[in-house]
Amino acid sequence: MAKKRPISRLKIKQSKPKKLEGGKPMIENPLVAKFTRANIQELPLEKITLSGGTQMRDKLNGEAIEHYTALYGEGYGGFPPGKVVRTTDEATGETFHYLVEGFHRRAAREKAGLKTFPVKVIEGTLDEARWYAVSTNADNPVHRSDADKWKAVKIALESPFAKGMSNRTLAEHIGVTHPFIKTVKDDLARQNGHLPPPRVERAKPEPDRRSAKFPEANLEPPELEILPPRDWEIDIPEAPKEPQTDP
């Protein structure tokens, strides 16, 4: 098993969309081009919305946050900007800034005492924000756990953009294998009662190695004649008589 590099040695870089041989992105994400053209701006931390279902980690990596916090404290400026999708609620007119990439960095800046986060902000819907977020951690320096991947697949399957999409295409978008997509689908179906529980294979009996090596050992033993119980006769010798003497 390959050893994981310590986070302190990881190279921080901005991820790029995967491409096919023809040079076209595997999935046409409506937000990719928008983020490419967007300018970087300093957004106050309190204005960033974290509760929109765009966080694709099962839980954040505390070691990564500690390392990033130390780098921010040293004035390191090599981090890429975070990415935010701004959405306005038509019913209330309230504006939300959903963070879709940069949760570890945002947490580290808050811990380091910084008040703002440099991000790219674009307009979009919450569905678009979630669809973009499921693909953000595929080549992140902080590797995803199976729980992280499972969460991303589950949210992706709930997206209208995944409707009619094959497992292989969806896997390419999220950055997982297509058998993993099927596993999550089966798990969700069982939770909803749409599939029977997985069949448990019974362990096969261990073959008798002696019988395999000595075939004659498989022969049935001969029937034994069982004798009825026997009353044993024990001869007890009589005590010797004392010789009689004449009076």
Side-chain angles (χ1 to χ4, degrees), residues 54-117:
T54 57
Q55 209 287 81
M56 296 301 144
R57 300 276 187 177
D58 181 59
K59 59 182 179 179
L60 295 181
N61 187 307
E63 183 183 355
I65 294 175
E66 290 291 339
H67 177 60
Y68 292 175
T69 301
L71 291 177
Y72 279 127
E74 296 170 0
Y76 177 74
F79 287 105
K83 294 180 180 179
V84 168
V85 176
R86 181 168 53 213
T87 301
T88 302
D89 190 329
E90 296 180 356
T92 63
E94 187 176 1
T95 300
F96 299 92
H97 295 82
Y98 294 109
L99 185 65
V100 296
E101 186 173 352
F103 284 87
H104 285 98
R105 283 166 276 160
R106 190 261 176 212
R109 289 184 69 86
E110 182 177 18
K111 194 168 185 178
L114 303 175
K115 303 300 182 182
T116 61
F117 186 20

Side-chain angles (χ1 to χ4, degrees), residues 161-183:
F161 295 102
K163 186 176 181 180
M165 187 174 291
S166 68
N167 289 354
R168 190 176 297 275
T169 304
L170 185 59
E172 291 173 349
H173 176 61
I174 303 173
V176 297
T177 62
H178 65 275
F180 189 82
I181 299 289
K182 184 179 184 304
T183 298

Side-chain angles (χ1 to χ4, degrees), residues 112-228:
L114 303 175
K115 303 300 182 182
T116 61
F117 186 20
V119 295
K120 288 187 173 184
V121 182
I122 64 171
E123 300 289 338
T125 66
L126 183 55
D127 284 335
E128 290 175 335
R130 290 172 178 167
W131 182 245
Y132 182 88
V134 298
S135 65
T136 55
N137 294 319
D139 50 2
N140 193 293
V142 183
H143 299 296
R144 294 181 296 180
S145 65
D146 286 343
D148 295 339
K149 297 175 185 178
W150 199 96
K151 181 179 180 180
V153 172
K154 179 180 181 297
I155 293 178
L157 291 172
E158 298 170 350
S159 172
F161 295 102
K163 186 176 181 180
M165 187 174 291
S166 68
N167 289 354
R168 190 176 297 275
T169 304
L170 185 59
E172 291 173 349
H173 176 61
I174 303 173
V176 297
T177 62
H178 65 275
F180 189 82
I181 299 289
K182 184 179 184 304
T183 298
V184 176
K185 283 184 174 181
D186 290 346
D187 287 346
L188 293 174
R190 289 190 187 95
Q191 291 178 11
N192 296 328
H194 297 158
L195 279 180
R199 187 178 64 178
V200 178
E201 295 290 343
R202 292 185 177 180
K204 296 181 180 180
E206 182 71 15
D208 188 348
R209 297 181 181 179
R210 183 178 181 279
S211 299
K213 189 173 183 180
F214 303 100
E216 64 274 9
N218 294 326
L219 299 177
E220 295 182 0
E223 294 183 0
L224 301 178
E225 182 181 0
I226 301 177
L227 299 177

